[in-house]
């Protein structure tokens, strides 16, 4: 996946059409859907970010957000902001050939649609994937959601040329406001993804796996039920260190993600990036500056040695899409 070119004009036209007709951006969910859309079903599927003639130096970027009840209006706000992300990355030149994948996270202990994973896209099809997401609105009510299951999928069911060919990690942004479960439940993996595991996988192990090939960030946004909760923030900072980021204004999500990628790609430093946002007319510079202050020292060395050949994790029944 990842072919085609992003057009802000196409997105704006689609947005005007929705406003004119009263059609929801989350039309699949608002129509009453209670099962995962086939295009976002993670079972038996790999998601791939590949180089092409159009995009010879692909950069994989994944944005997964919590759609349970504690996130309130956050998912709908994100929908209006996230499609602009690719345009921002391209205009500022923060990443070569960005390919973006959107997905959603729920609670696999009780939700009907706890994991939804889109495709890596370079064009307006990413807006289609957002529109297919079911806004579960549930959750277990215990300040815990299935983030670990999403990280398992990202660690073992994604393939990216930026990593395999160039030894450069992709970018994974998880937007939520609760804790992960302490272990990846093998029964949930079997039911939702289709892998047969002999035992559960500890959370720390799956974090180590996913951060090996994904530069992983957790964004805790304003507007969610547990925004500013010290327990949640400490939990994610224990796992991800400075990559656990507080976002005081949800409207700044695109700018925060774009500038984080720019820092990681060493295309810009924080001061230059904030100046870029100001010149572009963004009102989010204060929020972004505060959110990324812990990264001010610059991106860590993103180039890694190419992984040595090894037996891949079990992918029985997997179909590459």
């Amino acid at each position: 996946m990842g072919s085609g070119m992003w057009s802000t004009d196409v997105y704006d036209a689609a947005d005007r059409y929705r406003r004119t007709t009263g059609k929801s951006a989350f039309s699949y969910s608002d129509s009453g859907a209670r099962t995962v859309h086939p295009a976002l079903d993670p079972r038996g599927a790999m998601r791939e970010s590949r180089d092409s003639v159009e995009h010879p130096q692909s950069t994989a970027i994944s944005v997964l957000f919590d759609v349970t009840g504690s996130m309130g209006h956050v998912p709908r706000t994100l929908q209006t902001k996230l499609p602009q992300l690719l345009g921002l990355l391209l205009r500022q030149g923060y990443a070569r050939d960005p390919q973006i994948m959107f997905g959603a996270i729920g609670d696999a202990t009780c939700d009907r649609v706890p994991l939804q994973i889109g495709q890596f896209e370079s064009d307006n099809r990413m807006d289609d994937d957002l529109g297919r997401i079911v806004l579960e609105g549930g959750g277990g009510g215990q300040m815990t959601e299935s983030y670990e299951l999403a990280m398992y999928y990202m660690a073992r069911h994604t393939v990216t040329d930026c990593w395999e060919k160039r030894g450069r990690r992709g970018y994974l942004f998880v937007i939520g406001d609760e804790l992960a479960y302490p272990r990846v439940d093998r029964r949930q993996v079997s039911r939702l993804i289709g892998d047969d595991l002999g035992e559960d996988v500890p959370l720390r192990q799956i974090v180590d796996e996913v951060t090996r090939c994904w530069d992983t960030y957790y964004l805790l946004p304003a507007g969610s039920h547990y925004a500013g909760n010290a327990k949640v923030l400490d939990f994610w900072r224990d796992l991800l260190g400075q990559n656990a980021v507080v976002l005081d204004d949800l409207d700044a999500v695109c700018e925060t993600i774009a500038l984080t990628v720019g820092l990681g790609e060493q295309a810009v430093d924080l001061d230059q990036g904030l100046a870029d946002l100001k010149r572009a007319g963004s009102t989010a510079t204060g929020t972004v500056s505060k959110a990324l202050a812990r990264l001010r020292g610059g991106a860590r060395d993103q180039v890694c040695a190419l992984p040595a050949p090894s037996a891949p994790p079990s992918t029985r029944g997997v179909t590459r899409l």
Side-chain angles (χ1 to χ4, degrees), residues 114-157:
L115 186 62
Q116 305 170 72
I117 303 292
Q119 303 283 359
F120 288 98
E121 303 290 5
S122 295
D123 62 11
N124 296 75
R125 283 174 291 185
M126 67 178 68
D127 191 30
D128 295 336
D129 275 352
L130 282 169
R132 294 165 178 148
I133 288 175
V134 175
L135 301 179
E136 186 74 47
Q142 72 283 16
M143 202 191 292
T144 312
E145 308 296 356
S146 297
Y147 303 110
E148 77 294 335
L149 186 65
M151 288 190 287
Y152 172 90
Y153 187 91
M154 294 301 300
R156 301 192 182 184
H157 283 262

Side-chain angles (χ1 to χ4, degrees), residues 15-169:
D15 187 54
R16 286 194 299 271
Y17 173 77
R18 287 192 291 258
R19 292 175 185 273
T20 301
T21 62
K23 186 177 180 180
S24 167
F26 287 94
S27 57
Y28 180 68
S29 182
D30 290 344
S31 70
R34 293 298 179 265
T35 59
V36 64
H37 190 284
L40 274 63
D41 190 348
R43 184 173 178 82
M46 297 289 286
R47 300 299 191 230
E48 302 182 13
S49 171
R50 295 297 196 182
D51 297 343
S52 66
V53 174
E54 291 176 294
H55 306 290
Q57 296 284 323
S58 59
T59 302
I61 302 169
S62 297
V63 182
L64 309 181
F65 53 92
D66 186 335
V67 291
T68 62
S70 68
M71 293 291 281
H73 69 282
V74 170
R76 291 186 185 273
T77 302
L78 286 173
Q79 193 280 332
T80 67
K81 302 295 180 181
L82 287 176
Q84 303 166 27
L85 174 58
L86 188 56
L88 185 58
L89 288 167
L90 292 172
R91 285 194 303 273
Q92 301 297 345
Y94 290 160
R96 291 282 303 274
D97 300 323
Q99 298 179 352
I100 301 178
M101 178 183 78
F102 292 132
I105 301 168
D107 189 335
T109 69
C110 56
D111 288 344
R112 286 168 289 196
V113 193
L115 186 62
Q116 305 170 72
I117 303 292
Q119 303 283 359
F120 288 98
E121 303 290 5
S122 295
D123 62 11
N124 296 75
R125 283 174 291 185
M126 67 178 68
D127 191 30
D128 295 336
D129 275 352
L130 282 169
R132 294 165 178 148
I133 288 175
V134 175
L135 301 179
E136 186 74 47
Q142 72 283 16
M143 202 191 292
T144 312
E145 308 296 356
S146 297
Y147 303 110
E148 77 294 335
L149 186 65
M151 288 190 287
Y152 172 90
Y153 187 91
M154 294 301 300
R156 301 192 182 184
H157 283 262
T158 59
V159 180
T160 70
D161 278 350
C162 60
W163 173 250
E164 291 200 338
K165 291 184 178 181
R166 293 178 287 279
R168 296 184 67 83
R169 292 188 294 272

Side-chain angles (χ1 to χ4, degrees), residues 141-208:
Q142 72 283 16
M143 202 191 292
T144 312
E145 308 296 356
S146 297
Y147 303 110
E148 77 294 335
L149 186 65
M151 288 190 287
Y152 172 90
Y153 187 91
M154 294 301 300
R156 301 192 182 184
H157 283 262
T158 59
V159 180
T160 70
D161 278 350
C162 60
W163 173 250
E164 291 200 338
K165 291 184 178 181
R166 293 178 287 279
R168 296 184 67 83
R169 292 188 294 272
Y171 295 89
L172 169 60
F173 296 91
V174 178
I175 305 173
D177 73 331
E178 303 193 38
L179 313 179
Y181 284 99
R183 307 180 76 81
V184 178
D185 188 312
R186 61 184 179 85
R187 294 164 299 181
Q188 294 171 5
V189 170
S190 176
R191 174 170 58 91
L192 297 168
I193 299 175
D195 292 354
D196 294 325
L197 302 180
E199 57 187 6
D200 295 346
V201 182
L203 174 61
R204 180 68 68 174
Q205 177 182 331
I206 209 61
V207 169
D208 288 345

